[in-house]
Amino acid sequence: FDFNIGFTPEDSTNIIFKNNNMTDLQRLALGPFLHNVILQNNTISTGDIVVGVSDSGGYSSNILFSGNQINIEEFNVGPYTKNFTLQDNEIDVFRSFEIESDALIQLNSITGDAPNGLTIIGQNNEIKDNTIYDLPIGITLQNSENNLLRGNNFSSNTYNLLIEGDEEANYIHDIDTTNLVDGKPIYYIVNGTNQIYSSLNIGSSPNIGFFACILCDNVEVMNIDVEHLGDGVLFWGTDN
């Protein structure tokens, strides 16, 4: 069925919302006090989606978006959400796409005009096997901590990965070479010591997607060519 006002369930448990056409909504707001909710195989076209943003401080938990086609202005998963999963959706976001903590984001196709792309502003998120393309910035880790990135494919973004923060913890993430920028692996090295990183031991220059060295000591970087990244080559807390 079609909606034209809004969908704002709260203080409820065990909801399955499946195979609906939700068009021209002002807002889809989930929470507070909302638990065990599945939104599956819906077409969602709204002003914005808001999950777990509540002045009352009431938490929502176990929220799953799966298999949806989502075309929206803003997507905001706030601080009052536990165990949020965004899986196998097609997502087109125009203004902002922010997720706080303890989320699983996997197998999605993400595009749009959101200036900072998928923005992670909390901690302990898993971001896996997503296709992220045609955005001003693919993913921004903003004052965020302890995130895991695996198997994400960045392509045709103006910039692909931006990491921001003022504290050491904002740069400690688990990001490995299964993440690709235009088919090239990301190298995100934490606590590297007494190493030379060059085209000889991490691949030739055309095969480097991104290089970062966090809390490294006595390292040398040679003959690396990267592009379309927020920082290019990133050093933080690194000496010598």
Side-chain angles (χ1 to χ4, degrees):
F1 49 88
D2 294 328
F3 295 85
N4 57 20
I5 299 175
F7 179 62
T8 58
E10 60 182 61
D11 198 11
S12 301
T13 302
N14 299 327
I15 298 174
I16 299 176
F17 201 74
K18 186 175 182 180
N19 298 328
N20 295 290
N21 184 20
M22 307 173 67
T23 61
D24 299 323
L25 294 178
Q26 294 182 3
R27 168 169 289 191
L28 190 160
L30 303 181
F33 305 110
L34 197 64
H35 308 285
N36 304 327
V37 177
I38 298 173
L39 286 88
Q40 186 174 31
N41 298 335
N42 301 289
T43 298
I44 304 172
S45 176
T46 78
D48 55 84
I49 295 174
V50 177
V51 182
V53 178
S54 169
D55 293 336
S56 70
Y59 276 87
S60 295
S61 65
N62 301 324
I63 311 295
L64 169 64
F65 281 70
S66 177
N68 302 287
Q69 293 188 352
I70 301 172
N71 190 312
I72 55 175
E73 294 290 327
E74 299 184 4
F75 199 144
N76 184 3
V77 181
Y80 301 106
T81 309
K82 296 180 179 180
N83 299 325
F84 175 82
T85 300
L86 190 65
Q87 176 175 295
D88 198 25
N89 302 279
E90 294 184 9
I91 303 170
D92 193 338
V93 182
F94 295 103
R95 281 207 302 260
S96 69
F97 188 5
E98 295 186 353
I99 292 179
E100 290 232 7
S101 300
D102 302 310
L104 173 61
I105 306 160
Q106 66 179 3
L107 299 168
N108 301 286
S109 173
I110 301 171
T111 191
D113 296 319
N116 291 324
L118 171 58
T119 304
I120 304 298
I121 55 178
Q123 60 188 4
N124 303 324
N125 299 284
E126 295 187 13
I127 306 165
K128 303 190 295 186
D129 301 314
N130 300 285
T131 298
I132 301 164
Y133 67 99
D134 288 340
L135 280 157
I137 299 175
I139 291 178
T140 300
L141 302 180
Q142 186 178 82
N143 298 312
S144 183
E145 301 177 12
N146 194 37
N147 298 293
L148 181 143
L149 276 67
R150 291 287 187 275
N152 298 291
N153 189 356
F154 301 82
S155 65
S156 302
N157 302 297
T158 305
Y159 300 102
N160 290 285
L161 182 61
L162 179 63
I163 300 170
E164 298 180 328
D166 299 321
E167 300 179 3
E168 177 180 303
N170 301 144
Y171 294 86
I172 307 299
H173 305 289
D174 187 349
I175 304 172
D176 73 1
T177 57
T178 63
N179 299 283
L180 303 178
V181 170
D182 297 321
K184 308 167 189 178
I186 290 176
Y187 288 85
Y188 197 89
I189 298 161
V190 180
N191 292 320
T193 58
N194 302 318
Q195 296 290 327
I196 296 175
Y197 300 104
S198 74
S199 59
L200 297 178
N201 62 6
I202 61 173
S204 60
S205 294
N207 292 324
I208 306 300
F210 176 85
F211 184 88
C213 210
I214 310 301
L215 299 175
C216 295
D217 183 61
N218 193 30
V219 298
E220 186 173 353
V221 181
M222 302 171 57
N223 302 320
I224 290 177
D225 182 16
V226 295
E227 59 185 13
H228 300 302
L229 293 160
D231 295 295
V233 175
L234 171 64
F235 293 97
W236 201 93
T238 295
D239 296 318
N240 303 317

